[in-house]
Every structure is written in structure tokens, then in C-alpha cells.
């Protein structure tokens, strides 16, 4: 018992002071029955173990994406899992462990006849987005006007809004949207990927003041554990 306590104390003393943030973005990071789960968390756990660091999961802050995005920009020694890489975001954050593919897309109901050509032309179309989520930012880059956005807090709200026909389209990670449809008891087969907006990778993003040497250690550890444990990126439904 004493040896275990001494080992735990030693790990905590050697662990860098990082405050981790995350959001509800399944299957990469999400909460189920009060516990955090997800592929990105699996990878982070193993990377910390690889580095002999201690990850206190009780101190991870789960919050809506707009708060997470703002907090990690403004607060030193903070990081987030997970975030999709873009060149714009790379100016605001330092990324590590870009190992998880992510396709961001415009998603429509199969019953609608909305076409790709309408997206820039039809200013009456409304888009459900999470503010500063990659779907929101990708639509802005594509040329969609701010006046066409309906801002929601979570991906679950996005799929519920399009199912209730409160918005015409949503922009979100394709895999995440499919997960959220199932979570909301909505048949994902009723929806179609109208147009991919971005093919990128998800990883871990940190405030610019987090030391580069620490980030390099974490980046190497993440890539090593994913290479040695590819099953970390295979999704298993924790609710079953």
C-alpha cells in the first residue's frame, strides 16, 4: 500500500502542469453516466502512461465547445482533446498527435432536393452549427454568410434540429454526426452527406505558452502508442 502511494506521488510530481479541456464530440470524447469516454481519451491515457505521467481524469473540464475554444486560447498551460487541424487554427494553438482522420461535411435529409450548387446561391438556406466548431469555420471559408447560421451548443442539438426541420442543413464531422443521430434515436440512413467541406485530422491542441519540449514529448508518445496499439482507435460503445 505504501509503495503504491509513493509511486502515485512520484508520478504526480513528474507530471507537467496541464489543465485539460474537452467537449461532447463522440466517439472521440464524450460523457456517459458521469464518466468520460472516447477514442481521443484512450490515446491520451496511454500516452501519459508511456511517459510515466499521471492523468487525473477528475480534473478534466467537459464544457460546450465555444467555452473550450476560448479558454484554451486565453489560459496558459491548457490543452484540449480533440480538435481538427486547420492552418487558421495552427496560428492560435500548437497541435500534437494528429493521428485521427476526420471528414467535415454538409449534411442534408434525404427527402430534400437541396443540391450542392444551391449552397452559395440560395441565401435563404439555414445551417445548424456549433460556434467556432470546424463545421462553422469551414462554412465561413466556403463563403456562407453569418446570417444563415443557427448556433447550437452541441452536436446532439444539431441532429435534433435538422430532424425537427428547424434548419435546412448542418455542418459537422461526418462520423460524429452519425453517432449523434443514433444517440438521438434518429435513423442516420435518412440523412446524406451532401458535400465534404474538409478532410483533416483530429489531435490535441494546446495554448501557445505550453513549452515546446513538453509538446514534443507528448507528440512522440501519442504516435508511438497509436502505432503499437491500433485498437485504441477502434470504437466500442460504452453505453452497452
Amino acid at each position: 500500500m505504501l509503495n503504491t502511494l509513493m509511486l502515485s506521488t512520484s508520478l504526480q510530481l513528474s507530471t507537467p502542469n496541464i489543465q485539460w479541456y474537452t467537449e461532447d464530440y463522440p466517439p472521440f470524447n464524450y460523457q456517459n453516466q458521469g464518466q468520460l469516454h472516447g477514442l481521443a481519451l484512450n490515446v491520451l491515457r496511454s500516452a501519459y502512461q508511456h511517459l510515466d505521467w499521471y492523468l487525473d481524469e477528475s480534473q478534466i473540464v467537459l464544457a460546450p465547445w465555444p467555452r473550450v475554444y476560448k479558454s484554451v486560447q486565453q489560459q496558459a498551460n491548457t490543452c484540449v482533446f480533440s480538435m481538427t487541424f486547420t492552418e487558421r487554427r495552427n496560428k492560435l494553438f500548437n497541435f500534437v498527435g494528429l493521428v485521427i482522420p476526420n471528414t467535415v461535411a454538409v449534411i442534408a435529409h434525404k427527402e430534400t432536393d437541396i443540391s450542392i450548387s444551391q449552397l452559395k446561391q440560395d441565401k435563404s438556406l439555414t445551417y445548424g452549427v456549433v460556434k467556432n466548431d470546424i463545421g462553422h469555420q469551414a462554412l465561413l471559408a466556403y463563403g456562407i454568410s453569418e446570417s444563415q447560421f443557427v448556433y447550437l451548443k452541441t452536436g446532439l442539438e444539431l441532429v435534433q434540429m435538422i430532424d425537427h426541420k428547424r434548419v435546412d442543413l448542418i455542418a459537422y464531422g461526418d462520423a460524429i454526426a452519425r453517432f449523434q443521430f443514433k444517440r438521438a434515436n434518429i435513423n442516420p440512413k435518412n440523412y446524406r452527406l451532401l458535400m465534404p467541406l474538409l478532410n483533416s485530422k483530429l489531435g490535441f491542441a494546446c495554448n501557445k505558452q505550453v513549452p515546446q519540449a513538453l509538446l514534443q514529448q507528448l507528440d512522440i508518445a501519442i504516435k508511438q502508442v497509436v502505432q503499437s496499439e491500433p485498437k485504441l482507435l477502434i470504437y466500442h460503445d460504452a453505453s452497452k
Side-chain angles (χ1 to χ4, degrees), residues 52-81:
D52 289 330
W53 293 351
Y54 172 72
L55 181 63
D56 187 350
E57 295 184 27
S58 69
Q59 297 302 308
I60 296 172
V61 177
L62 176 76
W65 183 249
R67 177 188 165 193
V68 170
Y69 194 79
K70 184 177 181 180
S71 296
V72 178
Q73 283 185 72
Q74 295 181 344
Q75 299 174 14
N77 299 322
T78 56
C79 296
V80 55
F81 64 92

Side-chain angles (χ1 to χ4, degrees), residues 104-188:
V104 181
V106 177
I107 297 168
H109 198 286
K110 283 187 175 179
E111 291 179 357
T112 66
D113 58 359
I114 300 171
S115 65
I116 293 175
S117 62
Q118 285 180 261
L119 298 185
K120 285 187 177 180
Q121 297 173 2
D122 190 344
K123 300 302 181 183
S124 69
L125 291 174
T126 55
Y127 298 81
V129 296
V130 175
K131 191 172 181 64
N132 278 326
D133 173 75
I134 190 62
H136 174 214
Q137 293 180 348
L139 281 177
L140 283 172
Y142 184 69
I144 303 303
S145 169
E146 281 277 7
S147 64
Q148 295 175 255
F149 296 137
V150 176
Y151 292 114
L152 300 158
K153 290 184 178 180
T154 67
L156 185 62
E157 291 181 1
L158 286 184
V159 300
Q160 290 170 332
M161 285 288 280
I162 194 171
D163 190 59
H164 294 154
K165 300 181 180 177
R166 301 282 185 86
V167 294
D168 298 308
L169 303 157
I170 60 173
Y172 210 51
D174 178 45
I176 301 92
R178 283 187 273 111
F179 187 105
Q180 297 286 26
F181 280 125
K182 292 178 182 178
R183 185 190 251 186
N185 294 317
I186 299 167
N187 188 348

